[in-house]
Amino acid sequence: MLIKNPETFDGECFAFINKEIILRKDNAPMCLQDMEQLKHDAQGSDIYCEPEYGICFMLVKDKELPSDYTTEALRLYNARNTEEEAMKVFRAKALASWTDSTRYCAGCGSALTPHKELTAMTCTGCGKIVFPRIEPCIIVLVRKGDKMLLARHAQRNQDIYACIAGFMEAGETAEQTVRRELMEETGIKVKNIKYFGTQSWPFPSQLMIAFTAEWESGEIKPQDEEISDAGWFSIDDCPATPQPGSIAYRLIHNS
């Protein structure tokens, strides 16, 4: 269940701004009083708690935080914490984004209110139950002999080379998405597609499903609107790649 703007809460509290988690500068755990201060002083959203998971969460919209707080990229926070703690934080981030953006029923337009038993919203008009949205994506590392396919994405402002990734479309299996995305973005065909693992990536609501594959045929022809450059690289001679904390890093360095 979800509780909006709780009066008391003694579980773990998480606040976020963009792709960063907000932390106390004194390294003390965040508490409900911190959340209330951020809501008041930094244009925070409504506060929600999920008692079953022992988490409380919110989004902050003003980059000028009170002086007692600092931020850290969620990817770095994930890399230096346990998988269990990272799951709580990523769940909190996903739910914070969802509750902040899901205010009205898509069917009748009435206001939504937290469900009394489920982690969901209920329409005050037609009674429709709305669950948190999860958007499945694939990410794939393709190998050709001792080299791997890495690409620089046109829509990113960093000079980082990473794996090919993309959203699943209606009716597709994950493996079909792998084949389609690679053909669309690079013009190559692959074989021996193998499941590697998953990672929640709540920016705002992705679930990354990772695969490895082998080159079958075709020459690299980058899709201009998606890929600015792509090539085959060896692990010992490759450009800047994603840092620890992402499944892309694990694919490149551990697959």
Coordinates of all heavy atoms in Angstrom, one line a residue, residues 66-118:
P66 N 18.9 22.9 0.6 CA 19.4 23.4 1.9 C 20.9 23.0 2.2 O 21.3 22.0 1.7 CB 18.5 22.8 2.9 CG 17.2 22.5 2.2 CD 17.7 22.1 0.8
S67 N 21.6 23.8 2.9 CA 23.0 23.6 3.1 C 23.4 22.3 3.8 O 24.6 21.9 3.7 CB 23.6 24.8 3.9 OG 23.0 24.9 5.1
D68 N 22.5 21.7 4.4 CA 22.8 20.4 5.1 C 22.8 19.2 4.2 O 23.1 18.1 4.7 CB 21.8 20.2 6.3 CG 21.8 21.2 7.3 OD1 22.9 21.9 7.5 OD2 20.8 21.4 8.0
Y69 N 22.5 19.4 3.0 CA 22.4 18.2 2.1 C 23.3 18.3 0.9 O 23.7 19.4 0.4 CB 20.9 18.1 1.6 CG 19.9 18.0 2.7 CD1 19.3 19.2 3.2 CD2 19.6 16.8 3.3 CE1 18.4 19.1 4.3 CE2 18.7 16.7 4.3 CZ 18.1 17.9 4.8 OH 17.2 17.8 5.9
T70 N 23.6 17.1 0.3 CA 24.4 17.0 -0.9 C 23.8 15.9 -1.8 O 22.7 15.4 -1.4 CB 25.9 16.7 -0.6 OG1 26.6 16.7 -1.8 CG2 26.0 15.3 0.1
T71 N 24.4 15.7 -2.9 CA 23.8 14.7 -3.8 C 24.9 13.7 -4.3 O 26.1 14.1 -4.3 CB 23.2 15.4 -5.1 OG1 24.1 16.1 -5.8 CG2 22.0 16.3 -4.6
E72 N 24.5 12.6 -4.8 CA 25.4 11.6 -5.4 C 24.6 10.9 -6.6 O 23.4 10.7 -6.5 CB 25.8 10.6 -4.4 CG 26.8 9.5 -5.0 CD 27.3 8.5 -4.0 OE1 26.5 8.1 -3.1 OE2 28.5 8.2 -4.0
A73 N 25.3 10.7 -7.7 CA 24.7 10.0 -8.8 C 24.2 8.6 -8.4 O 24.9 7.9 -7.7 CB 25.7 9.9 -10.0
L74 N 23.0 8.3 -8.8 CA 22.4 7.0 -8.3 C 23.3 5.8 -8.8 O 23.4 4.8 -8.1 CB 21.0 6.9 -8.9 CG 19.9 7.4 -8.0 CD1 18.6 7.3 -8.7 CD2 19.8 6.6 -6.7
R75 N 23.9 6.0 -10.0 CA 24.8 4.9 -10.5 C 25.9 4.6 -9.5 O 26.3 3.5 -9.2 CB 25.3 5.2 -11.9 CG 26.3 4.2 -12.4 CD 26.8 4.7 -13.7 NE 27.4 6.0 -13.7 CZ 28.6 6.3 -13.1 NH1 29.3 5.4 -12.6 NH2 29.0 7.6 -13.1
L76 N 26.5 5.7 -9.0 CA 27.6 5.6 -8.1 C 27.2 5.0 -6.7 O 27.8 4.2 -6.1 CB 28.3 6.9 -7.9 CG 29.0 7.5 -9.1 CD1 29.6 8.9 -8.8 CD2 30.1 6.6 -9.6
Y77 N 26.0 5.5 -6.3 CA 25.4 5.0 -5.0 C 25.2 3.5 -5.1 O 25.5 2.7 -4.2 CB 24.1 5.7 -4.7 CG 23.5 5.4 -3.4 CD1 23.8 6.1 -2.3 CD2 22.6 4.3 -3.3 CE1 23.2 5.8 -1.0 CE2 22.0 4.0 -2.1 CZ 22.3 4.7 -1.0 OH 21.7 4.4 0.3
N78 N 24.6 3.1 -6.3 CA 24.4 1.7 -6.5 C 25.7 0.9 -6.5 O 25.7 -0.2 -5.9 CB 23.7 1.5 -7.9 CG 23.4 0.0 -8.2 OD1 23.2 -0.8 -7.4 ND2 23.5 -0.3 -9.5
A79 N 26.7 1.4 -7.1 CA 28.0 0.6 -7.2 C 28.6 0.4 -5.8 O 29.3 -0.6 -5.6 CB 29.0 1.4 -8.1
R80 N 28.4 1.3 -4.9 CA 29.1 1.2 -3.6 C 28.2 0.6 -2.5 O 28.6 0.5 -1.3 CB 29.7 2.6 -3.1 CG 28.6 3.6 -2.8 CD 29.3 4.9 -2.3 NE 28.4 6.0 -2.0 CZ 27.8 6.0 -0.8 NH1 28.1 5.1 0.1 NH2 26.9 7.0 -0.5
N81 N 27.0 0.2 -2.8 CA 26.1 -0.4 -1.8 C 25.7 -1.8 -2.2 O 26.0 -2.3 -3.3 CB 24.9 0.4 -1.7 CG 25.1 1.7 -0.8 OD1 25.0 1.6 0.4 ND2 25.3 2.8 -1.4
T82 N 25.1 -2.5 -1.3 CA 24.7 -3.9 -1.6 C 23.6 -4.0 -2.5 O 22.9 -3.0 -2.8 CB 24.3 -4.6 -0.3 OG1 23.1 -4.0 0.2 CG2 25.4 -4.5 0.8
E83 N 23.4 -5.1 -3.1 CA 22.3 -5.3 -4.1 C 21.0 -5.1 -3.4 O 20.0 -4.5 -4.0 CB 22.4 -6.7 -4.7 CG 21.4 -7.0 -5.8 CD 21.6 -8.3 -6.5 OE1 22.7 -8.5 -7.1 OE2 20.7 -9.2 -6.4
E84 N 20.8 -5.5 -2.2 CA 19.6 -5.3 -1.4 C 19.3 -3.8 -1.2 O 18.1 -3.4 -1.4 CB 19.6 -6.0 -0.1 CG 18.3 -5.9 0.7 CD 18.4 -6.6 2.1 OE1 19.4 -7.3 2.3 OE2 17.4 -6.5 2.8
E85 N 20.3 -3.1 -0.8 CA 20.1 -1.7 -0.6 C 19.8 -0.9 -1.9 O 19.0 0.0 -2.0 CB 21.3 -1.1 0.1 CG 21.1 0.4 0.5 CD 20.1 0.7 1.5 OE1 19.6 -0.3 2.2 OE2 19.6 1.8 1.6
A86 N 20.5 -1.3 -3.0 CA 20.3 -0.7 -4.3 C 18.9 -1.0 -4.8 O 18.3 -0.1 -5.4 CB 21.3 -1.2 -5.3
M87 N 18.4 -2.1 -4.5 CA 17.0 -2.4 -4.9 C 16.0 -1.5 -4.2 O 15.1 -1.0 -4.8 CB 16.6 -3.9 -4.6 CG 15.3 -4.4 -5.1 SD 13.8 -3.9 -4.1 CE 14.1 -4.9 -2.7
K88 N 16.2 -1.3 -2.9 CA 15.3 -0.4 -2.2 C 15.4 1.1 -2.8 O 14.3 1.7 -3.0 CB 15.7 -0.3 -0.7 CG 15.2 -1.5 0.1 CD 15.5 -1.3 1.6 CE 15.1 -2.5 2.4 NZ 15.3 -2.2 3.8
V89 N 16.6 1.5 -3.1 CA 16.8 2.9 -3.6 C 16.1 3.0 -5.0 O 15.4 3.9 -5.3 CB 18.2 3.2 -3.6 CG1 18.5 4.6 -4.3 CG2 18.8 3.3 -2.2
F90 N 16.4 2.0 -5.8 CA 15.8 2.0 -7.2 C 14.3 1.9 -7.2 O 13.6 2.5 -8.0 CB 16.5 1.0 -8.1 CG 17.8 1.4 -8.7 CD1 18.5 2.5 -8.2 CD2 18.4 0.7 -9.7 CE1 19.7 2.9 -8.7 CE2 19.6 1.1 -10.3 CZ 20.2 2.2 -9.8
R91 N 13.8 1.1 -6.2 CA 12.3 1.0 -6.1 C 11.8 2.4 -5.7 O 10.8 2.8 -6.2 CB 12.0 -0.1 -5.1 CG 10.4 -0.2 -5.0 CD 10.1 -1.4 -4.0 NE 8.6 -1.5 -3.9 CZ 7.9 -2.2 -4.8 NH1 8.4 -2.8 -5.8 NH2 6.6 -2.3 -4.6
A92 N 12.4 3.0 -4.7 CA 12.0 4.3 -4.2 C 12.0 5.3 -5.4 O 11.1 6.1 -5.5 CB 12.8 4.7 -3.1
K93 N 13.1 5.3 -6.2 CA 13.2 6.3 -7.3 C 12.1 6.0 -8.3 O 11.5 7.0 -8.8 CB 14.6 6.2 -7.9 CG 14.7 7.0 -9.2 CD 14.6 8.5 -9.0 CE 14.9 9.3 -10.2 NZ 14.0 9.1 -11.3
A94 N 11.9 4.8 -8.7 CA 10.8 4.5 -9.7 C 9.4 4.9 -9.2 O 8.7 5.5 -9.9 CB 10.9 3.0 -10.0
L95 N 9.2 4.6 -7.9 CA 7.8 4.9 -7.3 C 7.7 6.4 -7.2 O 6.6 7.0 -7.3 CB 7.6 4.2 -6.0 CG 7.4 2.7 -6.1 CD1 7.3 2.1 -4.7 CD2 6.2 2.3 -7.0
A96 N 8.8 7.1 -6.8 CA 8.7 8.6 -6.7 C 8.4 9.2 -8.0 O 7.6 10.1 -8.1 CB 10.1 9.1 -6.1
S97 N 9.1 8.8 -9.1 CA 8.8 9.3 -10.4 C 7.3 9.0 -10.8 O 6.6 9.9 -11.4 CB 9.8 8.8 -11.4 OG 11.1 9.1 -11.1
W98 N 6.9 7.8 -10.5 CA 5.6 7.4 -10.9 C 4.5 8.1 -10.2 O 3.5 8.6 -10.8 CB 5.4 5.9 -10.7 CG 4.0 5.3 -11.0 CD1 3.4 5.2 -12.2 CD2 3.1 4.9 -10.0 NE1 2.2 4.7 -12.0 CE2 1.9 4.5 -10.7 CE3 3.1 4.8 -8.6 CZ2 0.8 4.0 -10.1 CZ3 2.0 4.3 -8.0 CH2 0.8 3.9 -8.7
T99 N 4.6 8.3 -8.9 CA 3.6 9.0 -8.1 C 3.5 10.4 -8.5 O 2.5 11.1 -8.5 CB 3.8 8.8 -6.6 OG1 5.1 9.2 -6.3 CG2 3.5 7.4 -6.1
D100 N 4.7 11.0 -8.8 CA 4.7 12.4 -9.2 C 4.1 12.7 -10.5 O 3.5 13.8 -10.8 CB 6.2 12.9 -9.2 CG 6.3 14.4 -9.4 OD1 5.7 15.1 -8.6 OD2 7.0 14.9 -10.3
S101 N 4.1 11.7 -11.4 CA 3.6 11.9 -12.8 C 2.2 11.3 -13.1 O 1.6 11.6 -14.1 CB 4.6 11.4 -13.8 OG 4.8 10.0 -13.7
T102 N 1.8 10.5 -12.1 CA 0.5 9.8 -12.3 C -0.5 10.4 -11.4 O -0.7 9.9 -10.3 CB 0.7 8.3 -12.1 OG1 1.8 7.8 -12.8 CG2 -0.5 7.5 -12.5
R103 N -1.2 11.4 -11.9 CA -2.2 12.1 -11.0 C -3.7 11.9 -11.4 O -4.5 12.0 -10.6 CB -1.9 13.6 -11.1 CG -0.5 14.0 -10.7 CD -0.2 13.7 -9.3 NE 1.2 14.2 -8.9 CZ 1.4 15.4 -8.4 NH1 0.4 16.2 -8.2 NH2 2.6 15.7 -8.1
Y104 N -3.9 11.5 -12.7 CA -5.3 11.4 -13.2 C -5.5 10.1 -14.0 O -4.6 9.6 -14.6 CB -5.6 12.6 -14.1 CG -5.5 14.0 -13.3 CD1 -4.3 14.7 -13.5 CD2 -6.5 14.4 -12.5 CE1 -4.2 15.9 -12.8 CE2 -6.3 15.6 -11.8 CZ -5.2 16.3 -11.9 OH -5.0 17.5 -11.2
C105 N -6.7 9.7 -14.0 CA -7.1 8.4 -14.7 C -7.1 8.7 -16.2 O -7.6 9.6 -16.7 CB -8.5 8.0 -14.2 SG -9.1 6.6 -15.1
A106 N -6.4 7.7 -16.9 CA -6.4 7.8 -18.4 C -7.7 7.5 -19.0 O -8.0 7.8 -20.1 CB -5.3 6.9 -18.9
G107 N -8.6 6.8 -18.2 CA -9.9 6.4 -18.8 C -10.9 7.5 -18.7 O -11.6 7.8 -19.6
C108 N -11.0 8.1 -17.5 CA -12.1 9.1 -17.3 C -11.6 10.5 -16.9 O -12.4 11.4 -16.8 CB -13.1 8.6 -16.3 SG -12.5 8.6 -14.6
G109 N -10.4 10.6 -16.6 CA -9.8 11.9 -16.2 C -10.0 12.3 -14.8 O -9.5 13.4 -14.4
S110 N -10.5 11.5 -13.9 CA -10.7 11.8 -12.5 C -9.4 11.7 -11.8 O -8.5 11.0 -12.2 CB -11.8 10.9 -11.9 OG -13.0 11.1 -12.5
A111 N -9.3 12.3 -10.6 CA -8.1 12.2 -9.8 C -7.9 10.8 -9.3 O -8.8 10.1 -9.0 CB -8.2 13.2 -8.6
L112 N -6.6 10.5 -9.1 CA -6.2 9.2 -8.5 C -5.8 9.4 -7.1 O -5.3 10.4 -6.7 CB -5.0 8.7 -9.3 CG -5.2 8.4 -10.8 CD1 -3.9 7.9 -11.4 CD2 -6.2 7.3 -11.0
T113 N -6.1 8.4 -6.3 CA -5.7 8.4 -4.9 C -5.0 7.1 -4.5 O -5.3 6.0 -5.2 CB -7.0 8.6 -4.0 OG1 -6.6 8.8 -2.6 CG2 -7.9 7.4 -4.1
P114 N -4.1 7.0 -3.5 CA -3.4 5.8 -3.2 C -4.4 4.7 -2.8 O -5.4 4.9 -2.1 CB -2.6 6.2 -2.0 CG -2.3 7.7 -2.2 CD -3.6 8.2 -2.8
H115 N -4.1 3.5 -3.3 CA -4.9 2.3 -3.0 C -4.7 1.9 -1.5 O -3.6 2.1 -1.0 CB -4.5 1.1 -3.9 CG -5.4 0.0 -3.9 ND1 -5.5 -0.9 -2.9 CD2 -6.4 -0.3 -4.9 CE1 -6.5 -1.8 -3.2 NE2 -7.0 -1.5 -4.4
K116 N -5.7 1.4 -0.9 CA -5.6 1.2 0.6 C -4.9 -0.1 0.9 O -4.5 -0.3 2.0 CB -7.0 1.1 1.2 CG -7.7 2.5 1.1 CD -9.1 2.4 1.8 CE -9.8 3.7 1.7 NZ -11.1 3.7 2.4
E117 N -4.7 -1.0 -0.1 CA -4.0 -2.3 0.1 C -2.8 -2.6 -0.8 O -1.9 -3.2 -0.4 CB -5.0 -3.4 0.0 CG -6.2 -3.4 1.0 CD -7.2 -4.5 0.8 OE1 -7.0 -5.3 -0.1 OE2 -8.2 -4.6 1.6
L118 N -2.9 -2.1 -2.0 CA -1.8 -2.3 -3.0 C -0.9 -1.2 -3.3 O -1.3 0.0 -2.9 CB -2.5 -2.7 -4.3 CG -3.5 -3.9 -4.3 CD1 -4.2 -4.0 -5.6 CD2 -2.8 -5.2 -3.9

